[in-house]
Amino acid sequence: DGGITQSPKYLFRKEGQNVTLSCEQNLNHDAMYWYRQDPGQGLRLIYYSQIVNDFQKGDIAEGYSVSREKKESFPLTVTSAQKNPTAFYLCASSRGTGAQPQHFGDGTRLSIL
Amino acid sequence: QKEVEQDPGPLSVPEGAIVSLNCTYSNSAFQYFMWYRQYSRKGPELLMYTYSSGNKEDGRFTAQVDKSSKYISLFIRDSQPSDSATYLCAIEATYNFNKFYFGSGTKLNVKP
């Protein structure tokens, strides 16, 4: 079945540590996105990529980094500069960026040790 | 003013009730409207997608868009306990790289 796979499901970060969240899709979608979800808040866009080897900052990019070396993969690194990283992180993809709905993975919950 | 406003609930209804979930939005340039369902500890799942005013029906679900009032609704008929989830509205801004604006979600509980 086609879909978006996020791993790990749960992740713990120590102070001063960088951690990387994986996102893989086999939908042949061009565009991919990372969102952060906090209780009582809507999804906030961290980074997005419309094509391989290109990505742009979203609304809350500080303390995060991404890469897009392959069409299928869009990993997110939460750096030590992100002072409040505890959240539910969601990866999404869409066929393109033009009246195309986004499809989501099942998320990674990141917590601080 | 937020681009999209959604009542967080929680909304509790008995099984079989008709549920009405709503969002308002601020920008009349928005064109594409979606509803997602999110179960606890899962990612959002696309339920409905529409770009025009009026109604779109899919089984027990009806999405309604009123562009003149900047108001979108999702109706669930014959609600079931399995419908208990958080429902997110989303709007796509085609003028801004097709950015999505999400509501904060309404938590629905359908009691057996």
Side-chain angles (χ1 to χ4, degrees), chain B residues 13-19 60 76-83 108-111:
Chain B
V13 301
E15 183 175 355
I18 296 175
V19 176
R60 296 185 296 111
I76 307 175
R77 289 184 299 282
D78 187 27
S79 56
Q80 303 295 309
S82 59
D83 295 327
L108 172 67
N109 180 33
V110 181
K111 298 175 291 184

Side-chain angles (χ1 to χ4, degrees), chain B residues 10-61:
Chain B
L11 181 61
S12 187
V13 301
E15 183 175 355
I18 296 175
V19 176
S20 172
L21 303 165
N22 309 294
C23 288
T24 58
Y25 61 94
S26 59
N27 193 327
S28 57
F30 290 151
Q31 290 184 288
Y32 298 91
F33 309 91
M34 282 136 287
W35 284 95
Y36 288 85
R37 177 176 62 196
Q38 185 176 22
Y39 291 114
S40 182
R41 300 186 187 88
K42 293 285 193 179
E45 168 194 10
L46 181 68
L47 278 178
M48 302 286 284
Y49 176 62
T50 183
Y51 58 86
S52 59
S53 282
N55 295 350
K56 181 177 180 180
E57 192 172 315
D58 184 0
R60 296 185 296 111
F61 298 93

